[in-house]
Amino acid sequence: MTVFNLEDKTLPAIFKAPKAIRGGIPVCFPQFGNCGSLEQHGFARNRMWTIDDNPPPLHANDSSGKSFIDLLLKSSEEDIKCWPHSFEFRLRVALSTDGDLSLISRVRNINGKPFSFSFAHHTYLLVSDISEIRIEGLETLDYLDNLFQKERFTEQGDAITFESEVDRVYLGSPNIIAVLDHERKRTFVIRKEGLPDVGK
């Protein structure tokens, strides 16, 4: 799932365990939200990741002008106590010369015993006044409204604008979504593959 929060002020990103960090792009894993027995959004965003000093190379079609780093999270004894599955989560963060940021997540099952999980890139975007924001690409989609006990609705507008708090999961969303900030004359284009839903 791709999730984005719109913030109209800069907040300091402070990591002080066990409280989750706010800001940047926290990784929610092995569950998103409170849809399971774990803490809200799982434990991955509250763990220390390591840098892979010898990552696999970028695909030849994708390597031109990109710098990247691979971050690894491997199941610890503490993790296995609350979620009894052995895994390796690899997050590749790549930045192209034109400023495009890409995140590629891969979860590997270490011991072969089947398990289910959900995950999300929980992106925070700095925007101007929230009333000046418009999201395009989610028109006519069904969504679950977390402010109404996950009741299912269908988006009616030609774009999403904001007059009050919104906490939704849009189902079966397209691979490209645009967040337009009219005041700053800026557009964030969010592209995704293999993640069927979008949360806002």
Side-chain angles (χ1 to χ4, degrees):
M1 179 179 305
T2 301
V3 179
F4 47 92
N5 284 352
L6 305 174
E7 300 282 345
D8 59 2
K9 58 190 175 295
T10 304
L11 300 173
I14 300 169
F15 181 63
K16 191 172 184 181
K19 191 166 174 67
I21 194 167
R22 287 184 58 94
I25 309 175
V27 174
C28 302
F29 174 85
Q31 83 181 27
F32 175 72
N34 57 1
C35 300
S37 60
L38 300 173
E39 62 192 270
Q40 172 99 356
H41 297 322
F43 50 73
R45 65 189 183 145
N46 297 329
R47 298 292 191 263
M48 294 300 292
W49 294 54
T50 60
I51 296 172
D52 187 348
D53 293 325
N54 191 23
L58 286 170
H59 189 275
N61 295 341
D62 198 31
S63 62
S64 180
K66 281 193 175 177
S67 296
F68 71 94
I69 188 169
D70 278 21
L71 303 174
L72 294 176
L73 179 66
K74 296 181 180 182
S75 49
S76 67
E77 288 181 23
E78 180 184 351
D79 298 334
I80 289 174
K81 286 178 187 174
C82 64
W83 195 65
H85 307 289
S86 296
F87 68 89
E88 176 186 88
F89 192 122
R90 176 179 299 273
L91 175 63
R92 175 161 290 178
V93 181
L95 185 62
S96 68
T97 55
D98 62 1
D100 284 348
L101 176 69
S102 63
L103 304 174
I104 300 170
S105 293
R106 291 199 168 91
V107 176
R108 186 166 64 103
N109 185 335
I110 299 298
N111 65 9
K113 291 197 294 192
F115 61 80
S116 297
F117 66 90
S118 61
F119 90 96
H121 296 137
H122 202 300
T123 311
Y124 286 75
L125 301 174
L126 180 61
V127 298
S128 63
D129 183 346
I130 194 71
S131 66
E132 296 294 318
I133 303 304
R134 176 181 172 99
I135 299 177
E136 297 179 351
L138 302 175
E139 305 83 18
T140 71
L141 293 181
D142 284 357
Y143 64 87
L144 305 177
D145 195 321
N146 292 318
L147 300 177
F148 292 92
Q149 291 76 43
K150 298 183 183 174
E151 191 174 339
R152 190 174 184 138
F153 296 95
T154 301
E155 185 61 52
Q156 299 298 320
D158 62 347
I160 298 170
T161 57
F162 302 91
E163 297 172 5
S164 61
E165 182 181 1
V166 174
D167 187 359
R168 301 173 179 167
V169 174
Y170 285 84
L171 307 172
S173 63
N175 287 339
I176 299 176
I177 297 147
V179 179
L180 292 79
D181 186 339
H182 296 293
E183 189 172 307
R184 291 190 176 173
K185 297 177 176 50
R186 176 171 61 185
T187 300
F188 295 99
V189 177
I190 300 166
R191 292 178 177 87
K192 63 185 185 67
E193 282 182 37
L195 301 171
D197 304 326
V198 166
K200 167 57 228 102

